[in-house]
Amino acid sequence: MVSHTETDSGRAYAPTRVRRLTDFELTLPALVLLVLFFVVPVVILLMRSVTEPVPGLGNYVELLGSSTYLRIFTNTFLVSGLVTVVSLLIGFPVAWALAVMPGRAASIVFAILLLSMWTNLLARTYAWMVLLQRTGVINKVLIGLGLIDKPLPLVNNLTGVTIGMTYIMLPFIILPLYGVIKKIDPAILQAAALCGANRWQSLVRVLLPLAMPGLAAGALMVFVMSLGYFVTPALLGGTANMMLAELIAQFVQSLVNWGMGGAAALVLLVVTLALYAVQLRFFGTDRMGGR
């Protein structure tokens, strides 16, 4: 960059050259923050997982060799997978409706989605506890309609956890899907119809493949967030439905066992990074962004 400056008498100084910042210099502040607040804590946690209470891999052997802990791992993946599938089944039609509905109606739905995201997580979870309990609104409505004879057990079990977590995760799958579906040219679907495809064929063979990057991005986001969720499973589930985040909190807060807590946290981190790597391998960052 070259600049010229003038004196009061009108004479110009020699042009001065301003050095441009390199890409590394521009990203250096972000890299420093990432190292300080992510890499360093993870390394410390890793060190504690292999040094406390005694040096070695005993914490990992106990964590992965115990049937109790393996059941918690299994339950964590089961709940996360179930929440992801239900969120996809509900979120895809909502995202499609948002993409095709008029602007004013779409704005109202967007406002509802954002309001649900901005509402305190604990308040939303307690609201579901009130709605799902045996004397709650949902059971009373079902009994009043004659659909059931006695209240359904909807809390302190897998059903309650799935309902509560699906409600919380829906915006995180609707928004990526909406961004991808909105970029799909309607003429493509019209061309499929002109070629003889019915609505089901257009959905399965045209719309779903084009929306697959958004589906993958939203599914990964929901699944990974569900793996580390703590508040909703703790309040709507029970001891029989404990998830990994609850186990980590119990190790650290109740048992003060930082070694086991660090081992469990790092196992969760490795699984998360592996899932992200698989998605990048099959879709890449450009396709996940809908480009």
Side-chain angles (χ1 to χ4, degrees), residues 15 25 40 110 114 180 184 238 241 245 272 277 279 284 287 291:
E25 290 172 332
V40 172
F110 264 116
L114 293 177
V180 173
I184 298 176
N241 296 282
T272 301
Q279 188 178 37
R287 291 192 65 197
R291 294 187 293 272

Side-chain angles (χ1 to χ4, degrees), residues 61 115 136 246:
V61 172
L115 183 62
E246 299 174 73

